[in-house]
Amino acid sequence: MKTQHQASINAYQADGFIGQYQRLVKNVVIPYQYSVLCDEAPDTEKSHVIQNFINAGKALRRTGKAAESGPAEEDGAANTGNAKSDENGGFYGMVFQDSDAAKWIEAAAYSLSLFPDDKLEKTVDELINIIADAQDEDGYLNTYYTIKDKDKRFTNLQEGHELYCSGHMMEAACAYYEATGKEKLLQVMLKNMEHIYRHFIVEKHQGFPGHPEVELALLKLYRVSGNKHCLELAEYFINTRGADPHFYEKEKAKRDWSVWNNDPTDTDYSQASKPVREQKDATGHAVRAVYLYTAMADLASSTGDAELFAACRRLWESITRRRMYLTGGIGSTGLGEAFTVDYDLPGDTAYSETCASIGLLFFASRMLENEVDGEYGDICERAFYNTVLAGMQLDGKRFFYVNPLEIIPGISGISVTHKHDLPVRPKWYACACCPPNVARLISSYGKYAYGENEDTAFCHLFAAGKVRLENGMRFTCETKYPYNFEILYHIEKGGKLAVRIPGWSRTWQLSVNEKKLETSDVLLQKGYAYLNVSDGDTVRLVLDGTARFQYASLKVPALTGKTAICRGPLVYCFEGVDNQGDVLSLSLLKNGALRVSDFQEDLLGGTVTITADALRTETSGALSTELYSDEAPATSPCQAVAVPYYTWGNRGENQMRVWMDFV
Amino acid sequence: MKTQHQASINAYQADGFIGQYQRLVKNVVIPYQYSVLCDEAPDTEKSHVIQNFINAGKALRRTGKAAESGPAEEDGAANTGNAKSDENGGFYGMVFQDSDAAKWIEAAAYSLSLFPDDKLEKTVDELINIIADAQDEDGYLNTYYTIKDKDKRFTNLQEGHELYCSGHMMEAACAYYEATGKEKLLQVMLKNMEHIYRHFIVEKHQGFPGHPEVELALLKLYRVSGNKHCLELAEYFINTRGADPHFYEKEKAKRDWSVWNNDPTDTDYSQASKPVREQKDATGHAVRAVYLYTAMADLASSTGDAELFAACRRLWESITRRRMYLTGGIGSTGLGEAFTVDYDLPGDTAYSETCASIGLLFFASRMLENEVDGEYGDICERAFYNTVLAGMQLDGKRFFYVNPLEIIPGISGISVTHKHDLPVRPKWYACACCPPNVARLISSYGKYAYGENEDTAFCHLFAAGKVRLENGMRFTCETKYPYNFEILYHIEKGGKLAVRIPGWSRTWQLSVNEKKLETSDVLLQKGYAYLNVSDGDTVRLVLDGTARFQYASLKVPALTGKTAICRGPLVYCFEGVDNQGDVLSLSLLKNGALRVSDFQEDLLGGTVTITADALRTETSGALSTELYSDEAPATSPCQAVAVPYYTWGNRGENQMRVWMDFV
């Protein structure tokens, strides 16, 4: 079967559930996040990111080395309309603070492709001017090093995040160019790319970034610009990684400074213990891992590198068969925000970073460019509808960085082992990678939902809206997914249609123009139904919307004796607010019913609850005061109410549990 | 009801289960540990503790400040017969290394009180000579500071462990004096006590030790010596603690060195956030906590301080009602070896340090001197028969520092969050507090098992053997406890007998001379049966030996839906070796039988297994390869075999679980 590539960001105009989220991002998230970046949001963690760019520009003009030769302004704040000038002209924030602006621009670009908005475009243009002003004449661009110490450039690849920040800005540049046709940021980043190329390829300085990101960005930049240096650089970083596992030790020995004093021998942390083609287990920092694997899968599909794809496939299975939460969360521990070992998936101390699930979706999407297989889309939806959406409050104004599968007030967020598992979403973070990452993913959902090759439209994820592909096919998808499981494709301009049949759908039915198709009428391959469609056809797919008990492998110690509930792609959870304040004493019944409610417009932004037959264990007798007793506690039948995991924590601090006892 | 005090260490000559352990300590543990202290044990973590004392003595003689004026020997090794001379004359080990020798002497002293042994006594005498040689003429005694830097004495009470080491040596001195009547070490430690008294009381240097221990030791030394400075010093340290919560910050500001760079503001860690009488929750490092509470309870009973006792009682309830494992383990996290928060009791990442359970037993025993209540004995046995005994391999040659309630090879000891939870016992530890602590507790079991006041013998714990009390009462206890629940007391010299009726014993029967007593014949108060016994009487107590399912409070998230099995004081566990290598797939049946085996002489040093009706979940279908599935796994009835928790890990690396799924 021929492979395919992502739809362009301009291919999809969303409606339905996804469209609602994309409008929330446009109307609330992007303006709110911009106010944070400008340090204008009240009672919010300081960002300073735009001021950092302004200050870097000033620092360059003081030394006469800015790439842009505009007039040296005393106060760059005029350019942003918002950012306060820092009187000291200093840097504030994490070493990778620049990337927050990059991800915001990327989100804004995708949003502009969906919803033209002159005011937002002007804001972005002004920010791009500030960023261009902060680029050194040699192409270097990073406010931390430009403001603080230019001599340290590229001397600490392990911790320095310069290539990481460049990568995010390259992604922003590609997105803004694709959305608006404007080239300024693209040229800035091509110049930056050439600077990096000179350093690593021409001048042959060895090295690879501690935090992968630039690799996947370079491959995007290559596709947008056609500049082969991008591809060459991406290949260099991917192929160099792990070739010398002592590289970071040697690098550290040459310098007298550090960002966090990270251990250079902990090469698993940055996926650098072995050359990438030899790697077998997903290790270390989960976001780094999936960003790297995304680039590897992208390069494998671009170059037809079977060995590289085989490595990607091993790593994919390492994650999805042994190291992933039911919610598509990855990274079991806050110690290093990292993968641990196979089957070690505690729910209450989970890290399960929002960004890591976003990266997993990126990885899945690039795997789809190597082979069209429904399991990739299944994981995309698992990650998106659960961990990614849970990463943002329903009002778009608060964010989770960490997404546990159990919250118990009094322990979660308080016990030293549960400090990171917060019961309510904060407004912002000192390390603010997740909020803009959610915004850019939601706004670009179309390119993950749809793919194409010369004659086929691929419907990987179910997303209502209009789709116009470069191969000429045009159709409208109509669905109330993920709450209704009828998906209609109204074909405007036909061709071949490939629709994913989710692995969770025990039954399904395809019809064309109200005529049900028999199995023999459809080519079914690796989880996709392939059919020819003509102009004016209506294709109807009906999936199985039954609520399902979920079971975990018996190799996962934390999940024995437990069950969870899913419906469609949604994982459900039980919150105290729906269950008399106590979910710990609930056990679901093995042969009990799962009742699906009607759609409740006014509940949690519009949702469907599931009610399960359960037993509630009474707190009485000895166990009302003692820790342990041999007095069997009494139980009584009850109904337990579950809501989608992505909606949890929107009604104040209370208990939450995904995996329930099961009797 | 009148209170009581511990029996003297010479009061008890053990037989039965305890006697067997005491002989193991004498024959194997004490000689083995001595070879470790002398660095003579092959393939074992280096100790160097005796060499440290030798080197400290040399250092003093070089400056002419030794308290003992013996000839300056070139090589102190001749004195020990074992310890290799360190050519550099340096210090090796932890800052509290001295305490390993102290605890070994204490264990040897108790053992000598049970089993006279000229060779062992001579070895101890020689070691005491070496220790005396290492005492400065002003009374100071600590090899770390004497060898490394005398100017640092008492400048880092937070981390320095000088008072901790003094405390352990005071305990050793008391025990050796009581066992042998020999005064040398007692005089050394009284001189050391006077040095400390001068520093803190006479010269009014403020402060209190980061690791409590000296307080409880000073109270012992007070009882043995009658020297009131001991009591005054103990009161000073207890009352000063937490009075100025910024004390360690101020102390740190005055010095330019650190041992571990511990945070001086983390006053919870060392139970110093508030004055002790105001403390409500058991916090921080679990061993420190219970050593402090032991001293508080001892002081409260010595001085009749009701406010102090009330604080002890609150802390007791904080531990036993909310922060203790079923096994009597305390300290949920390896991060700081510490208590966390109420009801946070994960089994797989438990710390549950052996020493902490030993300290809990000390605390319980001192609480008994304030009020005779059966719950203290219940906790003593819970801690002793489970966590403390599990701390030592059945052959006496390997030790657990950490005692988890679940072990899964592949995760335990490997995952970054489970590194401390080892599946097999190591031979020794760089931080070797636990092994000699187990040895000294087992050898002194009699003083915890029996107590007395002027007219009553208290039988707190069930321990076969002969008992001769200072009040004149004499009797022999005959029992195969904890495997048989008939306990006979053959009274040689009568009086009042107070026998604890364990809280776990649902039924019980007392007889005197084969005549069953009715409830009305016995005074039953707070878990003790009080009766008058005459010379020649035989008292028979029959407890309930039924195996019992255990349930945990629903406030413990880790234990919902789980059950454990106990019989008598023994917690049971399921190991892979008895259950087809897989305990994760076993669920015990709610209405299933628990079958108790005959005593099996040849199994695990002699034990009784319990077989439970169970279901085994099959690994088949989707879950044989996938992490998650909606395919309900099949189950089949089976028998699951449990062994006592204290015997786990004696048959190689395999799965182990205390809390089982329950359906």
Side-chain angles (χ1 to χ4, degrees):
Chain A
M1 196 58 55
K2 273 182 298 188
T3 60
Q4 52 83 54
H5 60 82
Q6 290 178 343
S8 116
I9 65 167
N10 301 305
Y12 172 64
Q13 290 293 323
D15 200 352
F17 184 87
I18 299 297
Q20 201 176 325
Y21 259 101
Q22 291 186 335
R23 275 186 293 276
L24 178 70
V25 169
K26 173 198 163 35
N27 294 328
V28 177
V29 182
I30 288 175
Y32 169 69
Q33 294 194 353
Y34 189 68
S35 76
V36 174
L37 301 187
C38 297
D39 302 306
E40 295 278 335
D43 306 324
T44 304
E45 187 81 41
K46 180 172 169 182
S47 164
H48 204 260
V49 58
I50 294 176
Q51 191 62 47
N52 286 340
F53 280 104
I54 292 168
N55 292 352
K58 286 184 192 169
L60 287 173
R61 284 188 294 280
R62 278 196 294 274
T63 59
K65 290 189 74 180
E68 290 275 307
S69 53
E73 289 178 28
E74 273 309 289
D75 185 358
N79 276 349
T80 69
N82 271 315
K84 293 268 187 296
S85 170
D86 180 326
E87 291 184 30
N88 300 319
F91 178 90
Y92 173 88
M94 309 296 281
V95 67
F96 47 79
Q97 204 80 349
D98 288 5
S99 62
D100 294 346
K103 279 190 277 191
W104 181 83
I105 292 175
E106 192 183 347
Y110 297 139
S111 187
L112 287 169
S113 77
L114 301 165
F115 312 107
D117 178 334
D118 289 346
K119 184 161 166 280
L120 176 60
E121 194 167 326
K122 185 161 175 287
T123 303
V124 178
D125 286 339
E126 286 168 353
L127 178 54
I128 288 171
N129 288 339
I130 292 172
I131 292 167
D133 281 351
Q135 183 171 39
D136 206 335
E137 61 185 5
D138 64 4
Y140 185 84
L141 175 62
N142 187 295
T143 69
Y144 178 88
Y145 297 90
T146 299
I147 293 170
K148 288 173 79 91
D149 197 341
K150 295 179 68 168
D151 292 340
K152 290 181 177 167
R153 288 177 176 192
F154 296 139
T155 59
N156 186 351
L157 297 181
Q158 186 198 352
E159 303 173 313
H161 281 76
E162 291 153 290
L163 295 168
Y164 171 88
C165 289
S166 283
H168 274 300
M169 201 61 84
M170 288 173 193
E171 289 198 89
C174 293
Y176 198 62
Y177 170 73
E178 290 184 296
T180 65
K182 291 182 177 172
E183 289 198 22
K184 181 163 186 175
L185 189 57
L186 190 67
Q187 293 308 328
V188 166
M189 293 319 297
L190 281 167
K191 182 170 176 174
N192 179 248
M193 182 277 296
E194 293 293 0
H195 175 77
I196 299 168
Y197 184 86
R198 245 183 346 266
H199 182 83
F200 289 94
I201 308 296
V202 179
E203 296 167 9
K204 297 192 189 303
H205 293 102
Q206 290 290 305
F208 51 93
H211 195 317
E213 153 64 24
V214 76
E215 300 87 342
L216 72 85
L218 284 164
L219 292 167
K220 281 190 178 180
L221 193 60
Y222 170 58
R223 262 189 297 275
V224 169
S225 70
N227 184 321
K228 290 206 171 169
H229 284 178
C230 301
L231 178 62
E232 203 181 331
L233 252 182
E235 286 184 301
Y236 169 75
F237 287 133
I238 290 170
N239 294 334
T240 302
R241 182 165 224 95
D244 175 6
H246 304 291
F247 172 74
Y248 291 135
E249 289 170 73
K250 295 173 190 166
E251 187 194 56
K252 185 166 190 174
K254 287 185 203 152
R255 65 171 192 267
D256 60 357
W257 64 285
S258 166
V259 180
W260 299 284
N261 210 21
N262 282 358
D263 177 4
T265 69
D266 183 6
T267 48
D268 276 352
Y269 178 72
S270 49
Q271 301 79 42
S273 298
K274 291 176 194 164
V276 296
R277 285 170 187 75
E278 297 170 24
Q279 296 186 16
K280 292 194 172 71
D281 293 313
T283 66
H285 188 268
V287 176
R288 295 176 196 230
V290 284
Y291 280 19
L292 172 66
Y293 308 155
T294 299
M296 286 162 60
D298 195 348
L299 183 63
S301 72
S302 301
T303 60
D305 184 332
E307 192 188 355
L308 188 57
F309 175 67
C312 292
R313 183 67 207 176
R314 280 196 307 272
L315 294 163
W316 171 264
E317 291 184 4
S318 169
I319 295 174
T320 62
R321 309 291 205 265
R322 297 185 293 279
R323 302 187 176 196
M324 179 185 71
Y325 288 97
L326 182 66
T327 51
I330 54 175
S332 304
T333 179
L335 300 170
E337 308 182 315
F339 289 105
T340 59
V341 296
D342 288 350
Y343 308 113
D344 178 27
L345 294 162
D348 59 335
T349 56
Y351 203 70
S352 182
E353 182 178 340
T354 309
C355 285
S357 287
I358 292 171
L360 178 60
L361 190 151
F362 295 161
F363 180 28
S365 179
R366 292 303 178 194
M367 289 299 278
L368 269 174
E369 304 203 353
N370 286 276
E371 56 170 358
V372 176
D373 189 321
E375 72 169 286
Y376 301 115
D378 288 353
I379 297 292
C380 282
E381 292 199 333
R382 190 189 284 279
F384 180 78
Y385 282 108
N386 300 295
T387 302
V388 177
L389 290 188
M392 187 164 74
Q393 191 151 291
L394 292 170
D395 67 5
K397 292 185 173 176
R398 288 174 172 266
F399 303 89
F400 275 137
Y401 191 112
V402 166
N403 300 280
L405 279 75
E406 174 168 306
I407 282 288
I408 306 300
I411 297 177
S412 304
I414 296 176
S415 174
V416 65
T417 49
H418 296 67
K419 282 268 186 211
H420 51 284
D421 296 296
L422 304 180
V424 292
R425 292 171 183 80
K427 288 183 178 173
W428 202 251
Y429 294 85
C431 172
C433 49
C434 299
N437 223 351
V438 173
R440 71 175 178 142
L441 176 61
I442 290 173
S443 300
S444 60
Y445 195 78
K447 67 176 181 166
Y448 303 100
Y450 295 100
E452 61 175 303
N453 62 24
E454 62 269 32
D455 60 7
T456 308
F458 290 84
C459 304
H460 302 304
L461 316 178
F462 303 105
K466 288 184 191 303
V467 181
R468 292 170 167 263
L469 299 177
E470 285 165 356
N471 68 10
M473 288 180 71
R474 291 197 302 276
F475 56 90
T476 300
C477 174
E478 186 187 340
T479 184
K480 290 178 180 162
Y481 192 86
Y483 286 115
N484 180 294
F485 298 91
E486 182 182 68
I487 301 116
L488 298 174
Y489 297 98
H490 303 290
I491 309 297
E492 192 180 334
K493 185 70 194 159
K496 287 187 191 160
L497 194 68
V499 183
R500 173 177 139 260
I501 309 296
W504 49 258
S505 192
R506 279 178 273 195
T507 61
W508 53 278
Q509 177 65 56
L510 266 174
S511 319
V512 177
N513 303 329
E514 299 302 321
K515 179 178 175 294
K516 288 187 180 178
L517 300 186
E518 299 304 314
T519 316
S520 55
D521 299 334
V522 187
L523 172 61
L524 192 72
Q525 196 156 351
K526 286 193 172 180
Y528 280 75
Y530 292 81
L531 59 167
N532 293 310
V533 291
S534 305
D535 304 359
D537 278 356
T538 290
V539 176
R540 179 192 308 266
L541 172 63
V542 181
L543 298 172
D544 181 1
T546 314
R548 318 180 306 276
F549 285 116
Q550 290 288 304
Y551 309 91
S553 163
L554 289 164
K555 293 177 180 168
V556 183
L559 300 182
T560 67
K562 307 274 188 189
T563 193
I565 294 173
C566 291
R567 182 175 181 244
L570 298 178
V571 174
Y572 274 67
C573 68
F574 293 79
E575 284 196 280
V577 66
D578 300 311
N579 294 285
Q580 300 172 36
D582 178 12
V583 302
L584 294 182
S585 65
L586 292 175
S587 301
L588 306 191
L589 291 187
K590 277 209 165 119
N591 300 311
L594 294 176
R595 277 172 293 278
V596 176
S597 79
D598 290 337
F599 188 77
Q600 300 180 55
E601 202 75 54
D602 297 332
L603 182 65
L604 293 163
T607 193
V608 161
T609 63
I610 296 175
T611 303
D613 290 337
L615 286 183
R616 188 179 286 283
T617 305
E618 311 291 343
T619 291
S620 58
L623 287 179
S624 54
T625 52
E626 300 292 324
L627 255 181
Y628 307 109
S629 168
D630 56 6
E631 224 177 86
T635 57
S636 56
C638 71
Q639 298 294 307
V641 177
V643 295
Y645 175 78
Y646 79 86
T647 69
W648 85 270
N650 275 277
R651 293 172 293 175
E653 185 168 325
N654 76 143
Q655 292 186 359
M656 183 276 288
R657 209 171 224 198
V658 170
W659 287 97
M660 302 291 283
D661 296 319
F662 198 40
V663 291
Chain B
M1 198 57 55
K2 273 183 296 188
T3 59
Q4 54 82 54
H5 61 81
Q6 291 179 342
S8 116
I9 64 167
N10 300 307
Y12 173 64
Q13 289 294 322
D15 200 351
F17 185 86
I18 298 299
Q20 201 176 327
Y21 260 101
Q22 292 186 335
R23 276 186 292 276
L24 179 71
V25 169
K26 173 199 163 35
N27 294 326
V28 177
V29 182
I30 288 175
Y32 170 70
Q33 293 192 353
Y34 189 67
S35 75
V36 173
L37 301 187
C38 298
D39 301 307
E40 296 278 334
D43 306 325
T44 303
E45 187 81 40
K46 180 174 168 181
S47 165
H48 204 263
V49 57
I50 294 177
Q51 192 62 47
N52 286 339
F53 280 104
I54 294 168
N55 292 351
K58 286 185 193 171
L60 288 174
R61 283 187 295 279
R62 276 197 296 274
T63 59
K65 289 188 76 181
E68 291 276 306
S69 54
E73 289 178 28
E74 273 310 286
D75 186 357
N79 276 348
T80 69
N82 271 315
K84 291 269 187 295
S85 169
D86 180 325
E87 292 184 27
N88 299 318
F91 178 91
Y92 173 87
M94 311 296 280
V95 67
F96 46 78
Q97 205 79 351
D98 289 5
S99 63
D100 294 346
K103 278 190 278 192
W104 181 82
I105 292 175
E106 192 183 347
Y110 297 139
S111 187
L112 286 169
S113 77
L114 300 165
F115 312 106
D117 178 335
D118 290 346
K119 184 160 166 280
L120 176 60
E121 194 169 326
K122 183 159 177 287
T123 303
V124 178
D125 286 339
E126 286 168 354
L127 179 54
I128 287 172
N129 288 338
I130 291 173
I131 292 167
D133 281 351
Q135 183 171 39
D136 205 334
E137 61 186 5
D138 64 3
Y140 185 84
L141 175 62
N142 186 296
T143 70
Y144 178 87
Y145 297 90
T146 298
I147 294 170
K148 288 174 79 92
D149 197 341
K150 295 179 68 168
D151 292 340
K152 289 180 178 168
R153 288 176 177 193
F154 296 138
T155 60
N156 186 350
L157 296 182
Q158 187 197 352
E159 302 173 315
H161 281 75
E162 291 152 290
L163 295 168
Y164 171 87
C165 289
S166 283
H168 274 301
M169 202 60 84
M170 288 172 193
E171 289 198 88
C174 293
Y176 199 61
Y177 170 72
E178 291 183 294
T180 64
K182 291 182 177 171
E183 288 199 24
K184 181 163 186 175
L185 190 58
L186 190 68
Q187 294 306 328
V188 165
M189 293 320 296
L190 282 167
K191 181 171 177 173
N192 180 247
M193 182 277 295
E194 294 292 1
H195 175 77
I196 298 168
Y197 184 87
R198 241 179 354 262
H199 182 82
F200 288 94
I201 308 295
V202 179
E203 296 168 10
K204 297 190 189 303
H205 291 102
Q206 290 289 305
F208 52 92
H211 195 316
E213 154 63 24
V214 76
E215 300 86 343
L216 72 86
L218 284 164
L219 292 168
K220 281 190 180 181
L221 194 59
Y222 171 57
R223 262 189 296 276
V224 169
S225 70
N227 184 320
K228 290 205 170 169
H229 284 179
C230 300
L231 178 63
E232 201 182 333
L233 252 182
E235 286 184 302
Y236 169 76
F237 287 132
I238 290 171
N239 294 334
T240 302
R241 181 165 226 96
D244 175 6
H246 302 292
F247 171 74
Y248 291 136
E249 289 171 73
K250 295 172 191 166
E251 187 193 56
K252 186 167 188 172
K254 288 186 202 151
R255 67 172 191 265
D256 60 356
W257 64 284
S258 166
V259 180
W260 299 283
N261 210 20
N262 282 357
D263 177 3
T265 68
D266 183 5
T267 48
D268 276 352
Y269 178 71
S270 49
Q271 301 81 41
S273 297
K274 290 177 195 162
V276 296
R277 285 171 187 75
E278 296 170 25
Q279 295 186 18
K280 291 195 172 69
D281 293 313
T283 66
H285 188 268
V287 177
R288 296 177 195 228
V290 284
Y291 280 18
L292 172 65
Y293 308 156
T294 300
M296 287 163 60
D298 196 349
L299 184 62
S301 71
S302 301
T303 59
D305 184 333
E307 192 188 357
L308 188 56
F309 175 67
C312 291
R313 183 67 207 178
R314 281 196 307 272
L315 294 163
W316 172 263
E317 291 184 5
S318 169
I319 294 174
T320 62
R321 308 291 204 263
R322 298 186 292 279
R323 300 187 176 197
M324 178 185 72
Y325 288 98
L326 182 66
T327 50
I330 55 175
S332 304
T333 179
L335 300 170
E337 309 182 315
F339 290 105
T340 60
V341 296
D342 288 349
Y343 308 113
D344 179 27
L345 294 162
D348 59 335
T349 57
Y351 203 69
S352 182
E353 183 179 341
T354 308
C355 285
S357 287
I358 292 170
L360 178 59
L361 190 151
F362 294 161
F363 181 27
S365 179
R366 292 302 179 194
M367 288 299 277
L368 270 174
E369 304 202 355
N370 286 275
E371 56 170 357
V372 175
D373 189 323
E375 72 169 285
Y376 300 116
D378 287 353
I379 296 293
C380 282
E381 291 200 334
R382 190 189 283 280
F384 180 78
Y385 281 108
N386 301 295
T387 302
V388 176
L389 290 188
M392 186 165 75
Q393 192 151 290
L394 292 171
D395 67 4
K397 292 185 172 175
R398 288 174 171 264
F399 302 89
F400 275 137
Y401 191 111
V402 167
N403 299 281
L405 279 73
E406 174 168 306
I407 282 288
I408 305 301
I411 296 177
S412 305
I414 296 175
S415 174
V416 65
T417 48
H418 296 65
K419 282 270 186 207
H420 52 284
D421 296 294
L422 304 180
V424 291
R425 293 172 183 80
K427 288 184 180 174
W428 202 250
Y429 294 85
C431 171
C433 49
C434 299
N437 224 351
V438 173
R440 71 174 177 143
L441 176 61
I442 290 173
S443 299
S444 59
Y445 195 78
K447 67 176 182 166
Y448 303 101
Y450 295 99
E452 60 175 306
N453 61 25
E454 61 269 32
D455 59 7
T456 310
F458 290 84
C459 303
H460 302 305
L461 316 177
F462 303 105
K466 288 185 193 301
V467 182
R468 291 171 170 262
L469 299 177
E470 284 165 357
N471 68 10
M473 289 181 70
R474 292 197 300 276
F475 56 90
T476 300
C477 175
E478 185 186 339
T479 183
K480 291 177 178 162
Y481 192 86
Y483 286 116
N484 180 293
F485 298 92
E486 182 181 67
I487 300 115
L488 299 175
Y489 297 98
H490 303 290
I491 309 298
E492 193 181 333
K493 184 71 196 159
K496 287 187 193 161
L497 193 69
V499 183
R500 174 177 139 260
I501 308 297
W504 49 259
S505 192
R506 279 178 274 193
T507 60
W508 53 278
Q509 177 66 56
L510 266 175
S511 319
V512 177
N513 303 330
E514 299 303 320
K515 179 177 175 293
K516 289 189 179 178
L517 300 186
E518 298 304 315
T519 315
S520 54
D521 299 334
V522 187
L523 171 62
L524 191 72
Q525 195 157 349
K526 286 192 172 181
Y528 279 76
Y530 292 81
L531 59 167
N532 292 311
V533 291
S534 307
D535 303 1
D537 279 355
T538 289
V539 177
R540 178 193 307 267
L541 173 64
V542 181
L543 299 171
D544 182 2
T546 314
R548 318 180 306 275
F549 285 116
Q550 291 288 305
Y551 309 90
S553 163
L554 290 164
K555 293 177 179 167
V556 183
L559 299 183
T560 67
K562 307 275 186 188
T563 193
I565 293 173
C566 290
R567 182 175 181 244
L570 298 178
V571 174
Y572 274 67
C573 68
F574 293 80
E575 285 197 280
V577 66
D578 300 310
N579 294 286
Q580 298 173 36
D582 178 12
V583 302
L584 293 182
S585 65
L586 291 175
S587 302
L588 306 192
L589 291 187
K590 278 211 164 118
N591 300 311
L594 295 176
R595 276 172 293 278
V596 176
S597 79
D598 290 337
F599 187 77
Q600 299 180 55
E601 201 74 55
D602 297 333
L603 181 65
L604 293 163
T607 193
V608 162
T609 62
I610 297 176
T611 303
D613 289 339
L615 285 183
R616 188 178 287 283
T617 305
E618 311 290 342
T619 292
S620 58
L623 287 180
S624 54
T625 52
E626 298 293 323
L627 256 182
Y628 308 109
S629 169
D630 56 6
E631 223 176 86
T635 57
S636 56
C638 72
Q639 299 294 308
V641 177
V643 295
Y645 175 78
Y646 80 86
T647 69
W648 86 270
N650 275 277
R651 293 171 294 173
E653 184 168 325
N654 75 142
Q655 293 186 359
M656 184 277 288
R657 208 170 224 200
V658 169
W659 287 97
M660 302 291 284
D661 296 319
F662 198 41
V663 292

